[in-house]
Amino acid sequence: MKYILVTGGVISGIGKGIIASSVGTILKSCGLHVTAIKIDPYINIDAGTFSPYEHGEVFVLDDGGEVDLDLGNYERFLDIRLTKDNNLTTGKIYQSVINKERRGDYLGKTVQVVPHITDAIQEWVMRQAKVPVDDDGVEPQICVIELGGTVGDIESMPFIEAFRQFQFKVKRENFCNIHVSLVPQPSATGEQKTKPTQNSIRELRGLGLSPDLLQLPTTSLRSINQMYVICVVDVTSIYRVPILLEDQGVMGYFCRRLDLPIETRPRKMLTKWKEMSDRSDRLLEHCSIALVGKYTKFTDSYASVIKALEHSSLAISHKLEIKYIDSADLEPNTLQEEPVKYHEAWQKLCSADGILVPGGFGVRGTEGKIHAINWARKQKKPFLGVCLGMQLAVCEFARNVLEWKDANSTEFDPESKYPVVIDMPEHNPGQMGGTMRLGKRRTIFKNNNSILRRLYGDVDHVDERHRHRFEVNPELKEHFEAKGFHFVGEDIEGERMEVIELDDHPYFVGVQYHPEFTSRPIKPSPPYFGLLLASAGKLQSYLQKGCRLSPRDTYSDRSGGSSPDSEIAEFKIPSITQD
């Protein structure tokens, strides 16, 4: 097993996740099996209770793990399936050590950071690195580990010490450290300053780790002593980063440094990535999507949603324009208090080709989302509602078509006369963390004519990831279906409504699950793909052609890679179910 540790200096949010993902991508393109671990030094057990404004979106895995959004990058870049133990936090480590102490595993010894915490970290990494993450079930050969935060943070000290010991345990030829740092360029002088990076490296060396590779956002530096410098400048797409690393000989360096038994020849998988990146720069036709949410001031709050939209827009050869709309700005109160903001929000909504209402929690902005859904339904604008977006579509239809004026979710109005959305039996209101319906669950299609079913490849069922506490009230189902509002997908027991579709509308779809979590650059999520097709006016022709795009909209089948060539050549959306 080879281990590659990615650390960061000077500031956080410098791009360690993208570098770690890109390194994994070029290694996987050589035919190696690669896994990834993200270490977050905070004391939280997981990311489940974070505000989106704190750390961005909460990414959900197949096993229900609520993890850092960087694991979403790993899954998208490497096309792998991770588990909750691939996200390691200080809280998890301390909890496991304290549980051992309570069981008496330490035989009455004083439990300390060194050696007990540091040993637990090393054991966790070595154990998790062996867990298969590819569909073929083969044990990984390389583990890329990203250490969150910045070198020097007091929270990350036990992890730095653990890896200082770890490098000797696994031997030098099996361990490599990439340090990602910043070279600021003050506008007053226009000169790049390397002193912050020098200090960061000095501190890391003082803690016992010496970087092998240094990644800097500059083009004017060369190798420094024993370190190999990678220069990564701003690029038009993050999918260009693996190609940038490959062009700078990173793969050749890994072959020498880690003694990898592979050839350094051009790889088909990277050719596919380059073709995809080149194609995104050449797009001429535009498609605009209004993203109506409550966390729109911080786009990382919707990281996977945005990526799913990008994957789908690239598949139909359209340049994506996302119009971010704070749902509260669409509400009548804003018209009274800030009329300019109100009219600007409505202008964005009305001018968009399609409308997306993503998931969320809390009552703020929900009425604005309902107004947006009402507009999409009446004006026959393509619409996709995800999780809360689907639930609010049910509320909107109940109020304005069934004329249940008081219809609402019990999350927002527990006393509603028409509780069309209710809390689930297993929800425990006394505890917030890990109490939702989480992870991969099966949805059964009940309608053979469903648009979404056809987009999935005319399958009987799909397995998608969930994250919700509330659900559509199944007792009121018949009232909706009598008016053309169909629940075309349900859970295995037929008790939970999973997919909605509306008659006499080009594309009005809601899903209780989060399809964005399984979207991939060359395998876009079918619900998002349908939204983009409908918004670009291509959905009906796509369905009539047997769910195939025209040749100019497809990827070349010369690029090869992990997906079957026929899928890429025809761009027929494959089933994403897994037994």
Side-chain angles (χ1 to χ4, degrees):
M1 177 68 71
K2 310 291 184 180
Y3 299 90
I4 299 174
L5 175 66
V6 180
T7 55
V10 184
I11 61 171
S12 60
I14 199 170
K16 297 187 298 296
I18 298 300
I19 294 297
S21 302
S22 300
V23 165
T25 299
I26 59 176
L27 289 166
K28 185 169 183 177
S29 74
C30 296
L32 297 169
H33 285 79
V34 183
T35 187
I37 294 174
K38 172 66 188 298
I39 295 175
D40 287 303
Y42 46 67
I43 298 176
N44 304 62
I45 297 296
D46 59 31
T49 55
F50 280 146
S51 160
Y53 287 124
E54 284 278 329
H55 286 266
E57 77 169 4
V58 176
F59 190 81
V60 179
L61 302 171
D62 279 351
D63 64 356
E66 297 173 287
V67 297
D68 186 87
L69 60 82
D70 275 318
L71 274 79
N73 280 326
Y74 303 157
E75 287 205 341
R76 283 186 287 268
F77 272 75
L78 301 173
D79 195 15
I80 55 179
R81 301 267 178 155
L82 300 173
T83 68
K84 59 186 176 184
D85 286 343
N86 287 86
N87 192 192
L88 177 56
T89 69
T90 296
K92 285 182 180 178
I93 286 293
Y94 272 81
Q95 187 179 57
S96 68
V97 169
I98 290 169
N99 288 341
K100 285 183 179 180
E101 187 275 331
R102 291 289 83 188
R103 290 198 306 265
D105 291 4
Y106 298 115
L107 300 175
K109 291 183 179 179
T110 303
V111 180
Q112 297 175 292
V113 174
V114 180
H116 301 100
I117 295 295
T118 52
D119 283 354
I121 293 167
Q122 295 174 66
E123 289 165 7
W124 191 300
V125 169
M126 295 183 77
R127 180 178 66 250
Q128 195 59 31
K130 296 179 180 178
V131 176
V133 293
D134 288 300
D135 293 337
D136 58 13
V138 175
E139 183 178 307
Q141 299 159 283
I142 296 182
C143 179
V144 180
I145 307 157
E146 179 191 348
L147 177 57
T150 307
V151 169
D153 293 345
I154 193 168
E155 296 96 337
S156 62
M157 288 300 182
F159 294 99
I160 295 286
E161 171 59 22
F163 284 109
R164 184 196 68 78
Q165 301 171 19
F166 190 71
Q167 64 184 336
F168 301 114
K169 180 182 289 187
V170 300
K171 308 301 181 188
R172 173 176 165 77
E173 63 271 18
N174 297 320
F175 182 86
C176 179
N177 178 205
I178 302 175
H179 191 60
V180 184
S181 191
L182 178 70
V183 179
Q185 188 170 356
S187 56
T189 63
E191 183 183 359
Q192 291 183 327
K193 299 294 184 182
T194 61
K195 187 63 70 178
T197 294
Q198 293 176 41
N199 292 336
S200 175
I201 294 172
R202 184 187 305 117
E203 183 157 17
L204 187 59
R205 282 175 166 169
L207 295 170
L209 282 174
S210 184
D212 298 288
L213 285 88
L214 181 63
Q215 186 270 307
L216 299 171
T218 177
T219 57
S220 59
L221 295 177
R222 300 180 194 172
S223 296
I224 303 172
N225 297 331
Q226 300 298 315
M227 281 181 291
Y228 189 88
V229 177
I230 313 167
C231 299
V232 178
V233 294
D234 288 342
V235 288
T236 54
S237 166
I238 61 171
Y239 301 120
R240 283 200 179 278
V241 178
I243 301 161
L244 198 59
L245 298 182
E246 168 72 5
D247 290 344
Q248 295 185 58
V250 170
M251 198 61 244
Y253 177 82
F254 282 137
C255 286
R256 297 189 301 273
R257 175 67 180 75
L258 296 174
D259 192 25
L260 298 176
I262 54 175
E263 300 176 19
T264 55
R265 55 180 175 76
R267 283 160 290 280
K268 290 182 178 180
M269 185 175 167
L270 279 186
T271 304
K272 182 170 63 179
W273 279 70
K274 185 176 188 305
E275 183 179 313
M276 181 175 65
S277 301
D278 290 344
R279 195 159 168 268
S280 67
D281 293 341
R282 296 195 303 262
L283 301 177
L284 299 176
E285 295 181 275
H286 286 251
C287 185
S288 60
I289 300 294
L291 195 159
V292 184
K294 60 188 290 187
Y295 314 115
T296 52
K297 292 181 178 65
F298 186 46
T299 55
D300 268 0
S301 302
Y302 299 112
S304 292
V305 168
I306 293 167
K307 295 302 177 190
L309 290 171
E310 289 175 353
H311 301 161
S312 296
S313 65
L314 184 57
I316 63 168
S317 297
H318 278 59
K319 189 175 285 293
L320 176 68
E321 178 190 357
I322 300 179
K323 299 174 182 278
Y324 296 99
I325 302 173
D326 189 324
S327 55
D329 293 345
L330 299 171
E331 297 175 358
N333 288 342
T334 307
L335 177 60
Q336 303 299 322
E337 298 167 5
E338 297 180 87
V340 174
K341 185 180 285 188
Y342 174 85
H343 289 295
E344 285 177 347
W346 273 101
Q347 193 277 331
K348 283 183 183 179
L349 183 75
C350 297
S351 61
D353 298 316
I355 297 171
L356 169 65
V357 179
F361 297 91
V363 69
R364 185 182 70 81
T366 53
E367 291 301 318
K369 293 178 182 178
I370 288 175
H371 285 303
I373 295 167
N374 179 260
W375 167 265
R377 182 177 60 80
K378 287 185 173 180
Q379 301 299 319
K380 298 192 184 303
K381 286 274 187 179
F383 165 78
L384 175 62
V386 175
C387 196
L388 178 62
M390 167 188 156
Q391 296 173 3
L392 294 179
V394 173
C395 293
E396 188 280 328
F397 194 86
R399 290 181 187 181
N400 299 310
V401 178
L402 300 182
E403 297 184 348
W404 298 346
K405 299 304 179 186
D406 186 46
N408 212 332
S409 166
T410 56
E411 179 182 4
F412 314 127
D413 182 8
E415 306 302 321
S416 171
K417 294 178 184 176
Y418 297 99
V420 293
V421 177
I422 57 176
D423 59 338
M424 295 182 296
E426 61 264 48
H427 172 217
N428 173 16
Q431 186 171 327
M432 295 294 287
T435 58
M436 289 183 277
R437 184 169 180 247
L438 292 164
K440 186 171 73 173
R441 308 291 178 111
R442 180 156 294 184
T443 295
I444 310 294
F445 284 111
K446 300 293 184 180
N447 187 330
N448 292 334
N449 297 321
S450 161
I451 290 177
L452 199 56
R453 175 177 179 152
R454 294 169 68 185
L455 288 170
Y456 272 107
D458 203 26
V459 294
D460 295 328
H461 64 269
V462 292
D463 293 327
E464 291 276 19
R465 298 174 183 178
H466 293 67
R467 185 176 185 249
H468 63 108
R469 284 194 178 92
F470 293 80
E471 63 183 359
V472 175
N473 188 342
E475 294 180 3
L476 305 175
K477 172 183 170 183
E478 288 75 14
H479 297 280
F480 289 88
E481 299 212 324
K483 294 287 187 177
F485 190 97
H486 300 288
F487 296 95
V488 299
E490 300 175 2
D491 72 344
I492 295 176
E493 289 79 21
E495 297 174 355
R496 293 199 166 99
M497 305 301 107
E498 293 280 357
V499 182
I500 62 165
E501 289 182 11
L502 182 64
D503 284 347
D504 194 28
H505 195 286
Y507 191 80
F508 192 97
V509 172
V511 291
Q512 182 60 71
Y513 49 81
H514 288 267
E516 64 270 18
F517 293 144
T518 50
S519 184
R520 302 288 184 263
I522 303 182
K523 289 184 283 187
S525 165
Y528 286 90
F529 188 57
L531 175 66
L532 266 293
L533 281 169
S535 301
K538 295 184 174 184
L539 179 60
Q540 289 307 315
S541 63
Y542 176 79
L543 295 174
Q544 289 166 6
K545 291 176 182 176
C547 295
R548 295 186 184 183
L549 292 176
S550 61
R552 72 179 187 86
D553 289 328
T554 61
Y555 294 103
S556 165
D557 61 348
R558 297 188 305 274
S559 54
S562 58
S563 300
D565 287 344
S566 59
E567 285 180 5
I568 301 166
E570 300 172 355
F571 214 92
K572 184 172 182 179
I573 302 301
S575 165
I576 61 173
T577 62
Q578 293 204 349
D579 293 328

